Amino acid sequence: MTSTGGGDGSWLRAVAGDGGRGPLLARGGQLVHGPRRLGELVHGRPPGVTGSQWSTALREGYDLVVCAADTARPVFAVEIGPVAPPGSAGQRVERLKNAVAEAVGLAVLRIGSPTLRADAHGCRIVAYVIDARGYAALGAGEPDDAGVPPVGFRDILGRLPDGRTGHVNDLGALARAAAVEAYVARRLVDPIVRGLHVRWAGGPAEGWSWVQVRPGACLVERVTVHERRVSAGVNPGRLAEDLAAVAVGERMRALDAAEPVLTPRDELLAEIRRLESRQDEMTDGFAFAHLCAD
């Protein structure tokens, strides 16, 4: 039988920090919990979800769950890691989980990456998103009297750890600094971490980042950001690109330990051109045509 939800009409259940599973982080009036199964987050099976769908979905979980500190109810859940291949059993299960989350009103931020993982990067990413959402909630969305638009969270300037002035809310800043150090140490042939981002109509935002390791050979990372009923507080495309830079930084750590998987620069350029050819499928077009002639 389907449930009638909580006593106040909400399908979302308060998340308890029981069994030694207290919150990992407290920030901005919110508590960040570690992995939780979907069945732990909702009161019961909502209307429109079959018993088979429910029994499959409730066993699936999320890497992190952000809850309101006062009610302990989920604000949004977070998934970080590889995306299931198209047509796979994993993708079918993911669709079931998404359908149930939608039915109960659970917001989900899905970060797809072959390199990033919740245990290593989750708290940093979620803290960033909480801060970005808090900044956006201040309502600084209108131009001032002179018509100058407000500074977005990602564009705030300040002093970086190396003493330079730069974007203090660039998640990829450490990776960009590491690339310069690697270049000085002659581990890279180019010190610049480059990137692009797009937003697919009806789909996720996608960010690419790369650095040239050897002449004509690049280390490339791609990350997707899918916002379901939740805003990350910043442009999801830029967030995806910055997270791709974080992933590049992770892989740069292992340049000397193992032979890296590199992409020929000509192949990367061809992929960027193919991406440009699909700009009709993007919500904001393709703003990186200059890279096609690079």
Side-chain angles (χ1 to χ4, degrees), residues 19-283:
R21 294 192 300 169
L24 304 175
L25 178 70
R27 196 178 188 96
Q30 295 170 83
L31 302 177
V32 181
H33 293 273
R36 291 293 193 276
R37 290 181 294 104
L38 180 57
E40 297 179 85
L41 304 180
V42 298
H43 287 289
R45 177 164 61 95
V49 175
T50 68
S52 175
Q53 291 172 326
W54 175 244
S55 63
T56 297
L58 66 83
R59 294 191 295 268
E60 297 299 310
Y62 298 97
D63 296 312
L64 297 160
V65 180
V66 180
C67 298
D70 55 351
T71 66
R73 290 265 176 81
V75 177
F76 63 98
V78 181
E79 297 177 286
I80 303 172
V83 176
S88 67
Q91 187 186 57
R92 290 192 291 275
V93 171
E94 187 72 19
R95 286 174 177 167
L96 282 178
K97 184 169 71 168
N98 291 342
V100 173
E102 181 67 24
V104 299
L106 176 63
V108 179
L109 181 66
R110 178 70 169 93
I111 296 169
S113 167
T115 300
L116 302 179
R117 295 293 183 274
D119 55 353
H121 312 99
C123 282
R124 180 186 173 200
I125 293 172
V126 170
Y128 179 93
V129 170
I130 290 174
D131 290 348
R133 284 167 53 84
Y135 183 86
L138 294 176
E142 298 296 329
D144 61 18
D145 294 339
V148 178
V151 176
F153 183 77
R154 172 60 174 78
D155 295 318
I156 295 173
L157 294 175
R159 185 173 295 277
L160 299 175
D162 60 5
R164 294 180 300 113
T165 296
H167 295 110
V168 294
N169 293 321
D170 172 11
L171 281 170
L174 294 178
R176 302 183 208 285
V180 173
E181 294 175 0
Y183 172 75
V184 172
R186 299 186 178 180
R187 297 168 61 230
L188 300 177
V189 299
D190 190 324
I192 301 175
V193 177
R194 293 177 167 81
L196 61 81
H197 62 267
V198 300
R199 191 167 187 177
W200 299 106
E206 182 174 347
W208 297 16
S209 190
W210 62 92
V211 66
Q212 192 168 190
V213 177
R214 300 186 188 127
C218 302
L219 191 161
V220 182
E221 283 286 328
R222 297 177 177 85
V223 170
T224 56
V225 171
H226 207 144
E227 301 170 308
R228 294 187 173 91
R229 302 175 68 100
V230 63
S231 168
V234 294
N235 180 306
R238 293 187 72 185
L239 176 60
E241 182 180 336
D242 287 347
L243 289 172
V246 173
V248 165
E250 286 296 311
R251 290 182 59 194
M252 280 195 295
R253 296 171 185 264
L255 281 179
D256 298 329
E259 181 67 18
V261 177
L262 302 178
T263 300
R265 188 172 178 277
D266 290 344
E267 180 180 320
L268 174 61
L269 181 57
E271 291 180 1
I272 295 173
R273 287 172 175 158
R274 283 194 290 272
L275 194 65
E276 181 190 30
S277 70
R278 299 177 59 193
Q279 59 184 300
D280 289 346
E281 303 172 47
M282 304 170 189
T283 59

